[in-house]
Amino acid sequence: MIGTSQNIPVWSATELVAPDTFGYFSPRIGLLPDGSPLVCWAKADGVTTQIWISRRTNGVFSPPVQVPLDVQPASIYVFGGLDLAVSGNRVFVVFEKFNTGIFLSRSEDGGETFFPATQIFTTPSGQRSILPKLITDAEGNPMVSFICTSNSAPAKYLFIQSEDGGLTFLPPVIANASLPNNEAVCECCLSDMVAKNDTICLAFRANRDNIRDIWVARSTDGGKNFSTVADVDETDWVIDACPVSGPNLFWANNKIGAVWMSQGLGKTRVYANTFDPESMTAGVMFQIPLPVGIDDTQNHPDIAGKGQVVGLAFESRDFIETGQDIVFAYSETGMEGLETAPVESIANEQGPQFFPALVYGDNKFHLIYADFDTKTVRYKTGTVLTTNTNEIEPVYTCQICSQFFSIPPTVDLTSGAQVEIYDLSGQCITSYRKADLRQYSIDVTNLPTGAYVVRIYEAKKNAMSMFRFFKK
């Protein structure tokens, strides 16, 4: 028989990005051209704000580089107020000052140094400009969306863009202008954007007389007008306060996927949908599955991938005894595959974890999140390993071991069973046959600390089982 291919993300150990003296607010992540992750976050106490950047090279995060703000204090919260975008070696950081405006800092050397921040939008008198979202176009020019609101006028999403690498910006455009009856947007929920050629899609939570559901506005002229909107959220959540949780978008092939949180159908859950960016026709909304044995709240989803490969990270309460964990769902069949994808805990730490941020490149998911217990930003990777076999058994919960990896007794080690151990690069580093095994155990004492995948070929079944372990 010709084998089929199955890709499985294998998660590394969790790493500390920087000590707790550097803060943990609003973590963001991007990838440089060589695949190195660049992490951005803030420390804020209401008096002084610091924004930090760190690059991971050769398995180590660099000492944090401070981004020059030139205004104090910037208005950065634990969940938002700043954003990061990477295009080649050009790096942008955008942030807000509540009653003043939106500011941008720029690096041309991969985040090693930054130019002084410049004000790219001035808040009109009596209004507030908050929660900027930042992406770049194909030429590396920054595009920014943000909320402009006041006590006397409905909140709206403004869109501004640069055509000269962030040196100057065009006048703002109202992105939600095509909402029915000129309705408002939710006043403190983040937005998200994706762009391809002249098509720009901006997702946001609307506020239609306290119906706070997810809409997408589209521009087909490079951001000069957002003339079409689509309702992708069927939950129609009615709430008279801002839920502080916005949508995320993922553009794959000819469709765009959206994920978000809603309590509109009874419990706080993460939902997903797709829509056609040409016709702006939404698909059929579905709920992301619950982790096994868990029936509590989900929140703050982030999505990343390429083509049909999609990863989704979000918060799940009561996954661990201490309250909140970061969990992950994975699909190789596009957004639709998330409807039945198993959801697993990947942080595996004590203490509450919040606000995951996810990117994907070179067959690897890069995840960061805020750890509220240690007040730090944490990082880990999920490497997609490819196997070819007639039958793939499930990948079981990751073991943590220092001397021996225990093979579950359900595996048949008779009749020429072959056992292989792979590192996160996908390289086979050692192999065993049945005669080399010590009663369903593998000696891993000499392996370096890290995460591994065990593949066991069962000759009787002509099948492959896969397991994970972390060597302490």
Side-chain angles (χ1 to χ4, degrees), residues 77-138:
Y77 322 101
V78 69
F79 68 95
L82 72 81
D83 204 7
L84 169 77
V86 180
S87 178
N89 284 315
R90 181 176 286 174
V91 179
F92 298 101
V93 175
V94 68
F95 61 93
E96 66 174 84
K97 184 169 174 59
F98 199 60
N99 295 312
T100 304
I102 305 296
F103 295 79
L104 183 82
S105 188
R106 173 175 54 92
S107 169
E108 297 287 348
D109 56 10
E112 295 184 12
T113 61
F114 282 83
F115 292 95
T118 58
Q119 188 166 356
I120 60 175
F121 177 79
T122 300
T123 304
S125 178
Q127 299 187 30
R128 301 180 295 278
S129 303
I130 59 174
L131 303 181
K133 173 64 186 179
L134 171 66
I135 63 171
T136 59
D137 64 17

Side-chain angles (χ1 to χ4, degrees), residues 11-12 14 313 325-328 344-348 367 380 468:
W11 291 93
S12 68
T14 303
D325 203 1
I326 303 301
V327 299
F328 186 81
E344 63 172 339
S345 171
I346 55 174
N348 295 318
L367 171 74
K380 66 191 314 171
R468 290 173 293 184

Side-chain angles (χ1 to χ4, degrees), residues 83 131-134 145-147 157 189-193 202-205 246-248:
D83 204 7
L131 303 181
K133 173 64 186 179
L134 171 66
S145 65
F146 55 92
I147 298 171
Y157 257 107
C189 286
L190 295 167
S191 65
D192 198 17
M193 290 187 290
L202 188 154
F204 57 91
R205 191 181 294 276
N248 280 93

Side-chain angles (χ1 to χ4, degrees), residues 15-71:
E15 298 178 33
L16 184 69
V17 175
D20 59 3
T21 53
F22 290 93
Y24 63 106
F25 279 19
S26 194
R28 301 291 186 264
I29 187 169
L31 295 179
L32 292 164
D34 64 356
S36 299
L38 196 68
V39 178
C40 177
W41 73 98
K43 181 178 182 179
D45 58 12
V47 177
T48 303
T49 304
Q50 301 165 344
I51 297 178
W52 299 99
I53 289 277
S54 180
R55 177 176 180 170
R56 188 176 185 271
T57 305
N58 297 324
V60 178
F61 278 101
S62 66
V65 173
Q66 189 166 0
V67 178
L69 303 188
D70 296 336
V71 291

Side-chain angles (χ1 to χ4, degrees), residues 251-452:
W251 198 322
N253 302 325
N254 297 320
K255 291 192 294 186
I256 297 177
V259 292
W260 67 93
M261 178 276 292
S262 176
Q263 199 176 344
L265 300 182
K267 291 187 176 182
T268 307
R269 297 285 187 258
V270 171
Y271 295 89
N273 204 343
T274 60
F275 65 94
D276 184 332
E278 291 191 7
S279 66
M280 292 296 281
T281 302
V284 178
M285 183 192 77
F286 59 89
Q287 179 186 318
I288 300 299
L290 293 169
V292 175
I294 303 299
D295 188 22
D296 211 319
T297 62
Q298 304 170 328
N299 205 350
H300 296 120
D302 198 8
I303 192 167
K306 182 178 180 180
Q308 294 291 92
V309 173
V310 185
L312 172 67
F314 58 95
E315 304 162 359
S316 178
R317 283 195 60 81
D318 280 347
F319 199 99
I320 53 178
E321 292 180 359
T322 51
Q324 186 149 289
D325 203 1
I326 303 301
V327 299
F328 186 81
Y330 175 74
S331 167
E332 288 183 336
T333 55
M335 287 292 297
E336 292 81 1
L338 293 176
E339 187 170 7
T340 56
V343 176
E344 63 172 339
S345 171
I346 55 174
N348 295 318
E349 297 175 13
Q350 298 299 307
Q353 302 134 29
F354 290 85
F355 309 117
L358 190 69
V359 293
Y360 178 79
D362 294 331
N363 295 325
K364 184 179 291 186
F365 291 97
H366 301 259
L367 171 74
I368 59 171
Y369 57 89
D371 186 290
F372 274 34
D373 197 26
T374 61
K375 293 180 170 52
T376 58
V377 178
R378 300 298 181 109
Y379 165 85
K380 66 191 314 171
T381 60
T383 302
V384 178
L385 301 180
T386 302
T387 63
N388 289 285
T389 177
N390 296 331
E391 180 182 355
I392 298 293
E393 298 293 341
V395 174
Y396 294 89
T397 302
C398 182
Q399 292 185 31
I400 299 176
C401 48
S402 57
Q403 292 182 300
F404 294 97
F405 169 80
S406 297
I407 300 172
T410 54
V411 177
D412 186 352
L413 295 179
T414 63
S415 304
Q418 173 83 16
V419 181
E420 299 170 338
I421 299 179
Y422 290 78
D423 64 16
L424 290 187
S425 70
Q427 179 181 358
C428 180
I429 58 175
T430 187
S431 63
Y432 301 80
R433 291 194 178 275
K434 193 259 179 184
D436 302 321
L437 298 176
R438 181 185 296 181
Q439 194 60 36
Y440 288 95
S441 294
I442 300 174
D443 188 348
V444 297
T445 306
N446 295 326
L447 291 180
T449 298
Y452 298 89

